[in-house]
Amino acid sequence: FVDCTFIIIIIIIIFFIIIFKIIIIIFIFIYFLNSISSPQHGIVLDAGSSRTTVYVYEWPAEKENNTGVVSQTYKCNVKGPGISSYGSNPQEIAKPIDDCIHKVKEKIPSHLHKSTPVYLGATAGMRLLRLQNETTANEVLESVHNYFTSQPFEFRGAQIITGQEEGVYGWITANYLMGNFLEKNIWRTWVHPRGAETTGELDLGGASTQISFIPEESMQSSNSTLQVQLYGYEYSVYTHSFQCYGRDEAEKRLLASLMQQPGLNKSTIDNPCYPQSYKTALTMKHLHGSLCTESLKPADYKPVQLVNVRGTGDPALCQEKVSLLFNFTACNGREDCSFNGVHQPKLKGKFVAFSGFYYTANALNLTGRFSLADFNSSMWSFCSQNWNQLPFMLPKFDEVYARSYCFSANYIYYLLVHGYKFNTETWPQIHFQKEVGNSSIAWSLGYMLSLTNMIPAESTLIWLPVHPSLFAGLLFFFTAVSLLCLIFLVYLCVLSRMQKNISHVDRVLAIE
């Protein structure tokens, strides 16, 4: 009995030591888990030609192969036009941006404001303004800088990104959101997916359009290829940006070219791409104030002079006029050429088309993947509609966009089919998509992903063999097993004692 009691005491002591160590491990685990899980935030302003959009991104303090795992948590569209439109009054930029930044402050904990970086990337609208008047462009950026220096965030600067950067950042965004860079394995840790194929990107903005993809063979021309390194892997991406081939600037070029028709009264023009019965008046500055239409500017140019535009809704004539916006003859029949003599390798794999591509397809009641025949049929039907019918056809009616959807559809057709060389077989490989999950497909997320390479991780990454919930479950399991073993040992000792007592009683009775 003494031996059994001693063994039980030893077991109880060992058991409590083990429980004490387990409790310490749990507290340490929870402490480091909370430390690691404390998220960081970043703010990116996509300063496009037609508008500015503010994105808030979040990523854990630890990073995967020097790149943060970033997710979009908030988006705010700044009211008014793009920042390039404030060239004559740059001081007016602050107010519309401030409305969005005020909302952003509420989305990010106040104690993290000072450590939250803010970046502004300006695209084709500002690229054109800089070419037109570098001093004015600098004044616009300076106004942005002055505004953010008065804010609690860590302003990292406003810059005008190149067309190639815009294209490759869009490519990064699309592939990141589609899981082509990272995925979680059975242990809930991030790994590079085996055999993952990247997706090409097609972006149609207001002043420029971009195409980016990884070609079948490595490109010899380094001018059209960018090297991208993400999550420990390197990618060689073909990307090209066509300045003045964004939807808005292309439409201005169409209207400006219609004014040049011989024998035409320049105060009134007929636009076959505008719906029947539609009428509007546009200023000469709207048509010719851009660098993209400067060569079409008339000799008697007066900025405030109005030009009356009438829609005739002629699909066939619209296609003819749109085709003249591209110089297809410059390629001299070469297969490795898109238009304007620009080299382009053969298309490869799937593509995602976003921004203007998506919104135009959506206006035609088309989303996702569909055939080229369906696109042409919907385009022809839409372009034949009267202006009065459009409010009942569009999911969201806005005059400026509604009048231009027919032009946009024809423009997209010529750009993708005759320019990029998509055909009836490869067209269904294009996915017209706005977002993945809650994240918009835009170059800004790729921009943020690239910039996180320069943001140091605040916590050392601790590789856990199992998911936290599974880890807690295993601790509970082993604790329960240990407790059951202790109870079983106590039971054996008690049983042994009882047997000894019974044997002793039996011997006493036998003697008597």
Side-chain angles (χ1 to χ4, degrees), residues 490-510:
V490 171
Y491 169 76
L492 290 178
C493 288
V494 172
L495 185 63
S496 175
R497 179 192 174 193
M498 292 175 63
Q499 288 177 346
K500 286 182 180 180
N501 290 338
I502 292 173
S503 298
H504 177 71
V505 171
D506 290 340
R507 284 197 299 270
V508 171
L509 291 175

Side-chain angles (χ1 to χ4, degrees), residues 219-273:
M219 295 284 295
Q220 294 181 352
S221 174
S222 59
N223 293 332
S224 55
T225 304
L226 289 181
Q227 301 299 320
V228 180
Q229 186 162 345
L230 285 170
Y231 305 103
Y233 288 80
E234 190 168 294
Y235 304 88
S236 181
V237 185
Y238 165 84
T239 182
H240 191 85
S241 177
F242 291 90
Q243 189 85 298
C244 294
Y245 281 84
R247 193 200 68 83
D248 296 343
E249 293 299 331
E251 184 179 344
K252 291 176 185 178
R253 290 194 292 119
L254 172 72
L255 293 169
S257 65
L258 291 174
M259 287 187 63
Q260 287 194 322
Q261 297 182 33
L264 182 72
N265 179 5
K266 293 185 180 180
S267 63
T268 303
I269 58 175
D270 291 334
N271 184 359
C273 297

